[in-house]
């Protein structure tokens, strides 16, 4: 009886082991099938449309007339980049970059009309929908804000041209660039003495202005020294420093810097962070410029617009 008992236990053990082993085998087969299913690559189409489209982003905003304080509607122009990264039969993936804000976009492409409908995520108050059409290397259309009360211009027109972003250390501001910082006016109290010797005080608004040094010093090509920059204005130092970031395609949040670099043909905003792209020399120059910016003074003057 003991022999039969041991034989039964042995057979039961072998049977259980066999089932367990087979279960593992079945599991591996199932995992393999799942892996094959998950690894299916959705084919990409129309790769000729991939790239960066950059240009005009314009809308009507309420503005204040400085002379009498009255409100009026004026057209505001901004620079935007729309990147098309991937197109499949059912989906389009890309990014929008404007005002230093980089947002993912996803939508569809209509092959017949050669048009895109692209939506930003919608979890930011400035998100919206792009409806644009291709014509060669140009892209035109409109953008509508999802939250029309959250933005100054909920409807904007778009005129873009396809451009290839290339880093070039030789890029500089154009010699005919406007060197006035229109975004940060400052009020100054001045005095006026008339012919009778009577003195009156009045307030005048002035703007920062850069010097010609911004056309000669290049922090991407030359190792700057304290002697090179010690007598420069604060705005000079800021422009020379931020020219480094502009060459790498940084999308500026500050209107001051956008206004300077959007005057050029070469500036293409492509990223909200380019720190890792800077060369060792550029990083050293930026650190030096930051030290001097901290204590530098600005030159202000009055200008008409």
């Amino acid at each position: 009886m003991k022999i039969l008992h041991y034989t039964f236990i042995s057979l039961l053990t072998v049977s259980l082991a066999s089932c367990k082993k087979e279960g593992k085998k079945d599991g591996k087969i199932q995992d393999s099938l799942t892996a094959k299913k998950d690894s299916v690559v959705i084919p990409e189409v129309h790769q000729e449309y991939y790239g960066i489209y950059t240009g005009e982003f314009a809308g009507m905003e309420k503005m204040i007339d400085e002379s009498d304080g009255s409100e009026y509607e004026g057209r505001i122009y901004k620079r935007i980049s729309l990147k098309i990264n991937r197109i499949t039969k059912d989906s389009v993936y890309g990014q929008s970059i404007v005002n230093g804000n980089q947002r993912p976009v996803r939508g569809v492409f209509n092959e017949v009309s050669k048009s895109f409908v692209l939506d930003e995520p919608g979890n930011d108050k400035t998100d919206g929908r792009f409806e644009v059409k291709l014509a060669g290397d140009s892209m035109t259309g409109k953008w509508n804000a999802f939250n029309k009360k959250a933005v100054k211009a909920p409807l904007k027109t778009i005129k873009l041209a396809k451009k290839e972003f290339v880093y070039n250390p030789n890029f500089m501001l154009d010699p005919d660039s406007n060197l006035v910082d229109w975004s940060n006016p400052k009020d100054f109290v001045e005095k006026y003495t008339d012919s009778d010797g009577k003195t009156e005080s009045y307030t005048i608004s002035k703007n920062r202005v850069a010097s010609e040094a911004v056309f000669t010093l290049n922090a991407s090509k030359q190792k700057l020294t304290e002697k090179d920059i010690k007598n420069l204005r604060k705005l000079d130092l800021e422009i020379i420093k931020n020219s480094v970031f502009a060459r790498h395609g940084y999308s500026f949040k500050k209107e001051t810097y956008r206004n300077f670099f959007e005057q050029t043909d070469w500036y293409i905003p492509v990223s909200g962070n380019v720190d890792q792209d800077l060369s060792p020399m550029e990083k050293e120059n930026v650190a030096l410029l930051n030290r001097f910016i901290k204590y530098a003074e600005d030159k202000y003057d009055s200008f008409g617009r």
Side-chain angles (χ1 to χ4, degrees):
M1 290 296 294
K2 287 185 179 181
I3 294 173
L4 289 174
H5 180 68
Y6 291 145
T7 302
F8 174 75
I9 292 175
S10 298
L11 288 172
L12 181 61
T13 302
V14 170
S15 176
L16 288 172
S18 176
C19 288
K20 188 175 181 181
K21 185 176 182 182
E22 190 172 336
K24 283 186 177 179
K25 185 178 179 182
D26 290 343
K28 287 181 180 178
I29 292 172
Q30 184 63 34
D31 289 344
S32 177
L33 290 173
T34 302
K36 285 183 180 179
K37 183 179 178 181
D38 291 343
S39 64
V40 172
V41 177
I42 300 174
E44 297 181 42
V45 296
H46 296 299
Q47 296 186 33
E48 67 272 22
Y49 300 141
Y50 290 12
I52 302 168
Y53 297 80
T54 188
E56 183 182 291
F57 193 50
M60 300 297 292
E61 294 185 9
K62 287 184 179 180
M63 307 178 76
I64 304 295
D65 189 325
E66 294 180 0
S67 61
D68 58 11
S70 62
E71 281 192 357
Y72 68 96
E73 280 204 337
R75 185 166 287 274
I76 299 294
Y77 294 89
K78 297 179 181 180
R79 179 77 63 88
I80 187 174
S81 288
L82 197 57
K83 295 172 70 176
I84 304 299
N85 297 331
R86 187 166 176 256
I87 305 174
T88 67
K89 182 181 178 181
D90 301 316
S91 299
V92 179
Y93 303 87
Q95 292 170 305
S96 65
I97 305 164
V98 63
N99 290 356
N101 196 19
Q102 187 169 334
R103 304 293 289 160
V105 296
R106 183 173 178 178
V108 293
F109 176 67
N110 187 312
E111 293 186 354
V112 177
S113 61
K114 288 189 177 180
S115 59
F116 294 93
V117 176
L118 303 169
D119 287 341
E120 292 166 319
N123 55 0
D124 187 282
K125 67 179 182 180
T126 62
D127 283 351
R129 167 173 289 182
F130 294 91
E131 296 178 67
V132 291
K133 187 174 182 178
L134 283 170
D137 283 342
S138 297
M139 187 183 284
T140 57
K142 62 183 179 179
W143 174 88
N144 270 291
F146 294 140
N147 186 345
K148 299 193 178 347
K149 295 181 179 179
V151 293
K152 292 181 180 179
L155 173 64
K156 291 184 173 71
T157 58
I158 299 169
K159 293 181 181 179
L160 311 177
K162 190 176 185 180
K163 288 189 177 182
E164 182 181 358
F165 172 75
V166 178
Y167 165 73
N168 188 332
N170 296 307
F171 285 150
M172 298 285 284
L173 286 182
D174 296 334
D176 58 349
S177 294
N178 189 317
L179 298 183
V180 180
D181 175 13
W182 296 109
S183 301
N184 297 288
K186 185 176 180 181
D187 289 339
F188 290 85
V189 177
E190 297 191 352
K191 294 181 179 181
Y192 169 74
T193 303
D194 61 20
S195 57
D196 296 329
K198 185 179 179 181
T199 301
E200 293 184 356
S201 296
Y202 63 96
T203 301
I204 185 171
S205 182
K206 296 185 178 183
N207 298 81
R208 300 195 301 165
V209 58
S211 75
E212 300 290 316
V214 298
F215 300 128
T216 58
L217 291 179
N218 185 330
S220 293
K221 287 188 65 178
Q222 63 192 99
K223 180 70 175 72
L224 299 179
T225 65
E226 293 187 4
K227 183 179 178 181
D228 294 326
I229 64 176
K230 67 178 182 179
N231 294 319
L232 297 185
R233 303 169 186 175
K234 186 172 185 176
L235 185 57
D236 293 340
L237 299 170
E238 291 174 355
I239 293 174
I240 293 167
K241 165 195 164 182
N242 284 291
S243 293
V244 171
F245 294 99
R247 294 181 190 108
H248 286 280
Y250 180 69
S251 181
F252 293 99
K253 293 184 182 296
K254 284 193 175 182
E255 185 180 11
T256 292
Y257 308 135
R258 290 201 309 270
N259 289 345
F260 282 114
F261 298 112
E262 286 179 0
Q263 296 180 62
T264 72
D265 291 331
W266 54 263
Y267 174 59
I268 302 176
V270 295
S271 177
N273 189 334
V274 297
D275 291 346
Q276 300 302 315
D277 300 327
L278 271 59
S279 70
M281 184 183 70
E282 286 176 325
K283 291 178 181 178
E284 290 180 14
N285 283 337
V286 166
L288 177 65
L289 288 160
N290 279 336
R291 279 173 44 209
F292 277 74
I293 287 171
K294 190 174 181 179
Y295 301 104
E297 295 183 358
D298 273 314
K299 162 111 186 212
Y300 285 84
D301 210 336
S302 56
F303 300 93
R305 295 201 74 166

